[in-house]
PDB file of all heavy atoms in Angstrom:
ATOM      1  N   GLN A  37      44.797  44.339 -71.179  1.00 96.00           N
ATOM      2  CA  GLN A  37      43.653  44.272 -70.351  1.00 96.00           C
ATOM      3  C   GLN A  37      44.142  43.675 -69.010  1.00 96.00           C
ATOM      4  O   GLN A  37      44.592  42.587 -68.899  1.00 96.00           O
ATOM      5  CB  GLN A  37      42.765  43.164 -71.101  1.00 96.00           C
ATOM      6  CG  GLN A  37      41.478  43.059 -70.290  1.00 96.00           C
ATOM      7  CD  GLN A  37      40.310  42.191 -70.901  1.00 96.00           C
ATOM      8  OE1 GLN A  37      40.612  41.383 -71.769  1.00 96.00           O
ATOM      9  NE2 GLN A  37      39.154  42.472 -70.579  1.00 96.00           N
ATOM     10  N   GLY A  42      38.360  46.592 -68.587  1.00 94.00           N
ATOM     11  CA  GLY A  42      38.176  46.424 -70.005  1.00 94.00           C
ATOM     12  C   GLY A  42      39.588  46.635 -70.719  1.00 94.00           C
ATOM     13  O   GLY A  42      40.456  47.230 -70.154  1.00 94.00           O
ATOM     14  N   GLN A  48      47.965  51.961 -82.045  1.00 94.00           N
ATOM     15  CA  GLN A  48      47.259  51.622 -83.443  1.00 94.00           C
ATOM     16  C   GLN A  48      48.129  52.016 -84.585  1.00 94.00           C
ATOM     17  O   GLN A  48      48.728  52.969 -84.691  1.00 94.00           O
ATOM     18  CB  GLN A  48      46.009  52.513 -83.372  1.00 94.00           C
ATOM     19  CG  GLN A  48      45.224  52.237 -84.813  1.00 94.00           C
ATOM     20  CD  GLN A  48      43.972  53.182 -84.900  1.00 94.00           C
ATOM     21  OE1 GLN A  48      43.610  53.793 -83.872  1.00 94.00           O
ATOM     22  NE2 GLN A  48      43.477  53.299 -86.042  1.00 94.00           N
ATOM     23  N   ARG A  95      40.839  45.523 -87.673  1.00 84.00           N
ATOM     24  CA  ARG A  95      39.527  45.982 -87.973  1.00 84.00           C
ATOM     25  C   ARG A  95      38.965  45.195 -89.099  1.00 84.00           C
ATOM     26  O   ARG A  95      39.674  44.845 -90.194  1.00 84.00           O
ATOM     27  CB  ARG A  95      39.715  47.417 -88.555  1.00 84.00           C
ATOM     28  CG  ARG A  95      38.421  48.155 -88.768  1.00 84.00           C
ATOM     29  CD  ARG A  95      38.376  49.569 -88.585  1.00 84.00           C
ATOM     30  NE  ARG A  95      39.631  50.281 -88.870  1.00 84.00           N
ATOM     31  CZ  ARG A  95      39.722  51.300 -89.754  1.00 84.00           C
ATOM     32  NH1 ARG A  95      38.638  51.667 -90.304  1.00 84.00           N
ATOM     33  NH2 ARG A  95      40.840  51.877 -90.034  1.00 84.00           N
ATOM     34  N   TYR A  99      32.035  45.316 -91.258  1.00 67.00           N
ATOM     35  CA  TYR A  99      31.380  46.174 -90.422  1.00 67.00           C
ATOM     36  C   TYR A  99      32.256  47.205 -89.788  1.00 67.00           C
ATOM     37  O   TYR A  99      31.846  47.944 -88.936  1.00 67.00           O
ATOM     38  CB  TYR A  99      30.628  45.460 -89.346  1.00 67.00           C
ATOM     39  CG  TYR A  99      29.558  44.453 -89.860  1.00 67.00           C
ATOM     40  CD1 TYR A  99      29.731  43.131 -89.872  1.00 67.00           C
ATOM     41  CD2 TYR A  99      28.415  45.030 -90.417  1.00 67.00           C
ATOM     42  CE1 TYR A  99      28.757  42.277 -90.436  1.00 67.00           C
ATOM     43  CE2 TYR A  99      27.414  44.224 -90.952  1.00 67.00           C
ATOM     44  CZ  TYR A  99      27.578  42.734 -90.931  1.00 67.00           C
ATOM     45  OH  TYR A  99      26.536  41.842 -91.380  1.00 67.00           O
ATOM     46  N   GLN A 102      36.262  45.631 -84.662  1.00 86.00           N
ATOM     47  CA  GLN A 102      37.520  45.098 -84.219  1.00 86.00           C
ATOM     48  C   GLN A 102      37.398  43.729 -83.903  1.00 86.00           C
ATOM     49  O   GLN A 102      36.467  43.369 -83.012  1.00 86.00           O
ATOM     50  CB  GLN A 102      38.165  45.984 -83.367  1.00 86.00           C
ATOM     51  CG  GLN A 102      38.692  47.329 -83.857  1.00 86.00           C
ATOM     52  CD  GLN A 102      39.337  48.176 -82.774  1.00 86.00           C
ATOM     53  OE1 GLN A 102      39.920  47.647 -81.913  1.00 86.00           O
ATOM     54  NE2 GLN A 102      39.250  49.401 -83.038  1.00 86.00           N
ATOM     55  N   GLY A 105      42.618  38.624 -81.499  1.00 93.00           N
ATOM     56  CA  GLY A 105      43.374  37.432 -81.434  1.00 93.00           C
ATOM     57  C   GLY A 105      43.192  36.944 -79.979  1.00 93.00           C
ATOM     58  O   GLY A 105      42.537  37.458 -79.118  1.00 93.00           O
TER      59      GLY A 105
ATOM     60  N   TYR B  36      30.655  43.226 -77.040  1.00 96.00           N
ATOM     61  CA  TYR B  36      31.523  42.001 -77.093  1.00 96.00           C
ATOM     62  C   TYR B  36      31.173  41.106 -75.963  1.00 96.00           C
ATOM     63  O   TYR B  36      30.910  41.495 -74.841  1.00 96.00           O
ATOM     64  CB  TYR B  36      33.017  42.392 -77.090  1.00 96.00           C
ATOM     65  CG  TYR B  36      33.649  43.034 -78.253  1.00 96.00           C
ATOM     66  CD1 TYR B  36      33.580  44.485 -78.455  1.00 96.00           C
ATOM     67  CD2 TYR B  36      34.240  42.369 -79.262  1.00 96.00           C
ATOM     68  CE1 TYR B  36      34.064  45.116 -79.575  1.00 96.00           C
ATOM     69  CE2 TYR B  36      34.790  42.902 -80.374  1.00 96.00           C
ATOM     70  CZ  TYR B  36      34.696  44.313 -80.467  1.00 96.00           C
ATOM     71  OH  TYR B  36      35.145  44.959 -81.598  1.00 96.00           O
ATOM     72  N   GLN B  38      33.138  38.150 -73.608  1.00 95.00           N
ATOM     73  CA  GLN B  38      34.496  37.602 -73.424  1.00 95.00           C
ATOM     74  C   GLN B  38      34.334  36.395 -72.380  1.00 95.00           C
ATOM     75  O   GLN B  38      34.031  36.678 -71.208  1.00 95.00           O
ATOM     76  CB  GLN B  38      35.465  38.751 -72.897  1.00 95.00           C
ATOM     77  CG  GLN B  38      36.863  38.317 -72.674  1.00 95.00           C
ATOM     78  CD  GLN B  38      37.704  39.412 -72.341  1.00 95.00           C
ATOM     79  OE1 GLN B  38      37.309  40.385 -71.638  1.00 95.00           O
ATOM     80  NE2 GLN B  38      39.101  39.348 -72.763  1.00 95.00           N
ATOM     81  N   ALA B  42      39.731  35.756 -75.924  1.00 88.00           N
ATOM     82  CA  ALA B  42      39.583  37.127 -76.649  1.00 88.00           C
ATOM     83  C   ALA B  42      38.160  37.474 -76.611  1.00 88.00           C
ATOM     84  O   ALA B  42      37.241  36.719 -76.816  1.00 88.00           O
ATOM     85  CB  ALA B  42      40.202  37.104 -77.844  1.00 88.00           C
ATOM     86  N   MET B  48      27.145  45.917 -83.465  1.00 93.00           N
ATOM     87  CA  MET B  48      27.519  47.341 -83.672  1.00 93.00           C
ATOM     88  C   MET B  48      26.371  48.067 -83.858  1.00 93.00           C
ATOM     89  O   MET B  48      25.453  47.787 -84.645  1.00 93.00           O
ATOM     90  CB  MET B  48      28.443  47.420 -84.769  1.00 93.00           C
ATOM     91  CG  MET B  48      28.844  48.873 -85.149  1.00 93.00           C
ATOM     92  SD  MET B  48      29.812  49.095 -86.556  1.00 93.00           S
ATOM     93  CE  MET B  48      31.449  48.691 -85.889  1.00 93.00           C
ATOM     94  N   PHE B  96      40.403  58.376 -85.926  1.00 67.00           N
ATOM     95  CA  PHE B  96      41.348  57.287 -85.795  1.00 67.00           C
ATOM     96  C   PHE B  96      40.665  55.961 -85.472  1.00 67.00           C
ATOM     97  O   PHE B  96      41.309  54.902 -85.450  1.00 67.00           O
ATOM     98  CB  PHE B  96      42.429  57.565 -84.716  1.00 67.00           C
ATOM     99  CG  PHE B  96      43.287  58.660 -85.207  1.00 67.00           C
ATOM    100  CD1 PHE B  96      43.844  59.495 -84.178  1.00 67.00           C
ATOM    101  CD2 PHE B  96      43.605  58.995 -86.374  1.00 67.00           C
ATOM    102  CE1 PHE B  96      44.719  60.557 -84.494  1.00 67.00           C
ATOM    103  CE2 PHE B  96      44.400  60.007 -86.824  1.00 67.00           C
ATOM    104  CZ  PHE B  96      44.920  60.742 -85.828  1.00 67.00           C
ATOM    105  N   GLN B  97      39.275  56.008 -85.368  1.00 76.00           N
ATOM    106  CA  GLN B  97      38.519  54.810 -84.986  1.00 76.00           C
ATOM    107  C   GLN B  97      39.044  54.042 -83.873  1.00 76.00           C
ATOM    108  O   GLN B  97      39.389  52.870 -83.802  1.00 76.00           O
ATOM    109  CB  GLN B  97      38.597  53.872 -86.299  1.00 76.00           C
ATOM    110  CG  GLN B  97      38.274  54.524 -87.594  1.00 76.00           C
ATOM    111  CD  GLN B  97      36.964  53.830 -88.087  1.00 76.00           C
ATOM    112  OE1 GLN B  97      36.821  52.692 -88.287  1.00 76.00           O
ATOM    113  NE2 GLN B  97      35.955  54.771 -88.419  1.00 76.00           N
ATOM    114  N   GLY B 102      34.474  49.905 -71.664  1.00 96.00           N
ATOM    115  CA  GLY B 102      33.946  49.819 -70.262  1.00 96.00           C
ATOM    116  C   GLY B 102      34.677  48.743 -69.519  1.00 96.00           C
ATOM    117  O   GLY B 102      35.350  47.960 -70.169  1.00 96.00           O
TER     118      GLY B 102
END
Side-chain angles (χ1 to χ4, degrees):
Chain A
Q37 187 174 23
Q48 176 184 346
R95 184 152 36 128
Y99 299 109
Q102 291 179 24
Chain B
Y36 286 86
Q38 186 173 29
M48 174 183 277
F96 295 147
Q97 304 249 307

